[in-house]
Every structure is written in structure tokens, then in C-alpha cells.
Amino acid sequence: MDNHIKLVKKAIRGNDKAFEKLVEIESEKLYRTALLYAGNKEDALDVLQETIYKAYISIDQVKQPEFFSTWLTKILIRTSYDFLKKKKKIILDENYLSAQHAKNNSDIEGKLDLLHVISKLNRDYQTVIILFYYHDLPIRCIGETLNMAENTVKTNLRRAKIELKRLLGGMEYEQTAFQ
């Protein structure tokens, strides 16, 4: 049996150390996703903290341990949307972006444009883009995560790409934007 599944089963039975280990394993992916939704480091950390809290108090609701990551991602997405509703706007943190620029000068403006444009997509498009390109989830898993038919995921992904291209002014982002 996979170690990850063993940890999930222990966490479901109330083992706090197992839950902490699972959070440690998932934290980088969750943080990156929260950052995409929230737009800045501080808000992303707030979303992440709230997600972990919600997961901790409801860990006993996990019915299939092999889908723990999917379950946790669903919580993060809902938490991100709740956070954005409260905030009513997405703000890109200039200090964070400056720090990123100092670390990595390679096409930061293009990446910034892309993040800004992704934040302007409607929820369904934004979520499929993030799950497909940033989480590298296959269409089937995105459908399971969002309780959506695979064909609907494909349609939303195609429409999201078209909308991104339109919002980016037709720039050549098709091949390079998500790398």
C-alpha cells in the first residue's frame, strides 16, 4: 500500500502527525495555487491557512484516501473563491513581484501579464487553466475535482485558452505561456 494512502488513513483516524505530514507534502502545490487565486503572498498564506484548518476539522469526511489531494484541492478552490468574494478584487502585490523579478529576470513581465489575465477569467475557465497547467492534472482528474463532465472540462479549457489569447491581445502565448 502506498505510504501516502497510509498517512491519509492515519489522519482520518485522528493522527495529527500524519495530517501534518500530508500538509507538508501538499503545501507547495497548495501555496502556488492559492497565490494564483489571491494574487499576493499574504493573501495566499491566509487562504492556505484557512484551507488547512477546514481540511483538519473535516478530515473524517474523506471517503477515498487515494483522492485526498483532490479533496484538499476542492477545499482550496472554495476557500479561494470565498476569500475573493470578501475582498471583491484581485490585487497583485508589487513587493512580491519585485522580489520575483530580482530572483528571475526571465520574462517576468510576460508571466505577470499572464497571471493578471488569468485572474480576469470567469471562475470555470480560471479553475481549469490552473488545474491543467499549474497542477498538471489530466482532464479526467479535473472533471472529478470539479464534479464536471470531461467534455465540459475540455470545452472550458478550450474557451479559456481562446479568452486568454484575446485578453493578451493575440500575443503568441499558445506554446510558451504555461511553461
Side-chain angles (χ1 to χ4, degrees):
M1 187 185 296
D2 181 42
N3 272 345
H4 195 263
I5 293 174
K6 285 181 183 178
L7 280 174
V8 174
K9 287 181 177 182
K10 285 181 181 180
I12 291 170
R13 289 191 303 267
N15 185 319
D16 289 343
K17 293 287 184 201
F19 183 81
E20 287 175 27
K21 183 67 177 166
L22 287 167
V23 167
E24 184 181 313
I25 292 168
E26 299 284 335
S27 65
E28 185 177 333
K29 178 178 72 169
L30 292 172
Y31 173 73
R32 285 193 325 255
T33 304
L35 186 59
L36 288 167
Y37 281 103
N40 67 66
K41 183 178 177 180
E42 292 77 19
D43 290 345
L45 290 171
D46 288 345
V47 167
L48 183 59
Q49 182 178 1
E50 183 70 17
T51 298
I52 292 168
Y53 170 73
K54 288 177 180 179
Y56 180 75
I57 63 172
S58 59
I59 186 72
D60 60 332
Q61 294 176 11
V62 175
K63 301 300 179 211
Q64 295 176 296
E66 62 273 19
F67 294 116
F68 174 79
S69 184
T70 301
W71 175 80
L72 194 55
T73 301
K74 284 181 182 181
I75 293 172
L76 178 81
I77 291 168
R78 279 189 239 113
T79 303
S80 295
Y81 284 136
D82 290 345
F83 180 83
L84 292 174
K85 275 184 198 172
K86 290 177 189 171
K87 196 165 181 183
K88 300 263 188 207
K89 60 183 176 177
I90 296 175
I91 300 169
L92 292 173
D93 184 302
E94 296 300 327
N95 295 331
Y96 171 74
L97 295 172
S98 296
Q100 289 300 315
H101 183 65
K103 281 191 224 171
N104 179 10
N105 286 338
S106 66
D107 196 31
I108 189 73
E109 289 164 0
K111 291 175 184 175
L112 172 58
D113 286 346
L114 185 61
L115 289 175
H116 180 70
V117 172
I118 288 173
S119 74
K120 293 191 175 298
L121 294 174
N122 81 38
R123 275 188 182 185
D124 290 336
Y125 297 171
Q126 185 181 43
T127 300
V128 297
I129 285 288
I130 289 170
L131 293 177
F132 188 77
Y133 287 105
Y134 290 92
H135 281 262
D136 295 321
L137 288 182
I139 301 290
R140 180 185 53 77
C141 290
I142 295 171
E144 290 169 3
T145 301
L146 301 176
N147 297 323
M148 191 181 284
E150 286 184 40
N151 284 336
T152 304
V153 173
K154 289 176 187 175
T155 299
N156 285 345
L157 190 57
R158 182 178 49 77
R159 290 178 179 166
K161 289 179 194 177
I162 291 168
E163 184 66 11
L164 280 173
K165 188 172 182 179
R166 186 188 69 73
L167 290 169
L168 290 166
M171 295 178 194
E172 296 300 318
Y173 276 86
E174 291 174 4
Q175 297 297 320
T176 60
F178 302 103
Q179 295 177 356

